[in-house]
Amino acid sequence: MKTFYSHGKLLLTGEYVVLDGALSLAVPTKYGQSLTVENLDQPKIIWQSLDENGKVWFEGEFQFNKSGMLKQVQHDDVSKRLIQILDAAKMLNPNFLRNSFGCRITTRLDFQRNWGLGTSSTLINNVAQWANVDAYQLLENTFGGSGYDIACAQYNTPITYQIESSDNEILNQVQDDKRIVKKVDFNPSFKGCLYFVHLNKKQNSREGIKHYHSNKANASNTISQINAITSKIISAKTLDEFDTLIALHETLIAEITNQKTIKELLFEDFNGGLKSLGAWGGDFILATSKSDPTSYFKGKGFETIIPYTSMVL
């Protein structure tokens, strides 16, 4: 039996513009996903996915055909996606799942599926470890995206993530030598004033990316400003300085994506800083407050408020 584990992710700066080469700050979370592999004496894969409470949210079975490729027994969307991931892994490593024996796979999340902490990216990174393939390449061949979430799955400290882009760079073809991941010392003295608030809905990252590409103007000037903000956020000494920087970041992203900030939309009366994380409109936001803001957000109908120190690895 083998077990693999990957950390969840939160993108603190550079949402959207990370796709076009912006320097972005990301943090791995204490929540993640495991994948356990047990051998079977039958030529099939039995898959079971468990949520954070140990409750089964998906069960499926996949059989091998005569050529050694997997075929679905049932035809739901989750099964189709798993077949895509496993076939992509097999294309990258032809020896993966090559013998006639099967396996029993059990995945287990530490977090709620609608939290947006990386149900897909942690799965991709776990399958990549199992198949002994490059996780970034597996992501590009399946879901696509910038890849920062894969970096978070693999690191246990805050990181900066940047793609050295060029005019002919396209989203799903990021070269390994164009991806820059660096560990950073982001441990603000005011972290006790930082909270993550869930907006009660899951945001589709692929739809968010599509919206960004359809609305963005010339991003080069914005990217330069985001790069500077990211660097200043990492070294911020006071909460007031941090709040000023995240407010400026929100304004810049709102302008380039033609969206309203989360404060304008839902929390105009909040006495503190607010910043969207990842694709705007769902998942977690970052709130800053010198006093515990739990009662404020619960009064607005948002029940999941997690202190920074309880979320970030």
Side-chain angles (χ1 to χ4, degrees):
M1 184 173 73
K2 294 181 179 179
T3 298
F4 307 96
Y5 186 83
S6 297
H7 305 297
K9 49 75 181 178
L10 285 167
L11 188 64
L12 300 190
T13 72
E15 66 272 16
Y16 298 114
V17 286
V18 65
L19 299 164
D20 289 317
L23 180 69
S24 302
L25 174 63
V27 291
T29 66
K30 292 180 179 179
Y31 302 96
Q33 182 170 203
S34 63
L35 182 149
T36 300
V37 183
E38 300 174 82
N39 291 332
L40 279 180
D41 292 332
Q42 306 169 58
K44 64 181 179 180
I45 292 177
I46 298 174
W47 194 290
Q48 186 177 74
S49 295
L50 308 177
D51 66 13
E52 76 283 2
N53 296 314
K55 183 178 178 181
V56 176
W57 67 267
F58 170 78
E59 280 185 304
E61 184 175 307
F62 309 95
Q63 296 178 348
F64 291 95
N65 59 27
K66 291 181 179 179
S67 62
M69 299 299 288
L70 288 168
K71 60 180 181 179
Q72 294 173 234
V73 174
Q74 64 257 39
H75 295 278
D76 56 280
D77 289 341
V78 176
S79 294
K80 290 177 183 177
R81 179 61 85 175
L82 288 174
I83 285 284
Q84 180 197 16
I85 293 169
L86 295 174
D87 282 348
K90 196 170 176 61
M91 290 291 289
L92 292 171
N93 178 9
N95 291 322
F96 176 54
L97 298 176
R98 188 174 182 177
N99 60 41
S100 59
F101 298 101
C103 52
R104 183 185 302 275
I105 305 298
T106 305
T107 65
R108 180 160 187 164
L109 290 165
D110 295 339
F111 56 89
Q112 294 183 32
R113 289 170 57 210
N114 73 333
W115 277 8
L117 293 184
T119 305
S120 300
S121 58
T122 52
L123 174 63
I124 289 290
N125 195 62
N126 284 337
V127 170
Q129 292 178 80
W130 172 29
N132 194 27
V133 300
D134 182 80
Y136 294 106
Q137 190 65 56
L138 185 59
L139 177 74
E140 289 169 7
N141 294 352
T142 52
F143 292 94
S146 70
Y148 89 88
D149 45 5
I150 296 298
C152 284
Q154 298 177 355
Y155 280 75
N156 58 9
T157 66
I159 60 169
T160 55
Y161 185 89
Q162 189 171 28
I163 298 167
E164 287 191 321
S165 60
S166 59
D167 290 341
N168 59 1
E169 193 84 60
I170 61 174
L171 178 60
N172 286 337
Q173 293 181 349
V174 180
Q175 300 297 316
D176 285 342
D177 60 353
K178 297 286 188 181
R179 187 182 294 109
I180 303 170
V181 184
K182 294 181 180 179
K183 293 182 179 182
V184 292
D185 182 19
F186 179 68
N187 186 27
S189 59
F190 48 84
K191 62 186 176 184
C193 299
L194 307 183
Y195 301 83
F196 296 103
V197 182
H198 195 257
L199 296 182
N200 298 336
K201 62 180 179 179
K202 177 91 172 67
Q203 187 70 358
N204 187 311
S205 298
R206 289 179 294 282
E207 289 300 317
I209 290 170
K210 187 185 297 184
H211 174 84
Y212 165 65
H213 282 300
S214 65
N215 283 277
K216 71 176 182 181
N218 186 348
S220 58
N221 184 51
T222 299
I223 287 172
S224 296
Q225 294 179 75
I226 294 295
N227 291 350
I229 291 171
T230 294
S231 296
K232 290 177 182 177
I233 280 177
I234 292 169
S235 59
K237 301 299 182 186
T238 67
L239 182 61
D240 288 342
E241 180 185 2
F242 186 83
D243 282 348
T244 298
L245 290 167
I246 64 173
L248 178 55
H249 193 294
E250 283 283 278
T251 299
L252 290 170
I253 298 300
E255 289 174 351
I256 199 171
T257 61
N258 192 29
Q259 298 182 84
K260 288 186 176 182
T261 67
I262 194 64
K263 195 159 192 174
E264 290 175 302
L265 283 174
L266 297 175
F267 307 111
E268 282 191 317
D269 60 341
F270 180 64
N271 184 25
L274 290 173
K275 186 183 180 305
S276 292
L277 307 175
W280 285 21
D283 300 329
F284 281 97
I285 60 171
L286 174 66
T288 75
S289 178
K290 294 177 181 178
S291 59
D292 188 342
T294 298
S295 60
Y296 170 85
F297 287 109
K298 286 192 172 182
K300 297 277 189 178
F302 302 96
E303 296 288 328
T304 303
I305 303 98
I306 302 176
Y308 182 93
T309 52
S310 298
M311 174 73 87
V312 176
L313 195 62

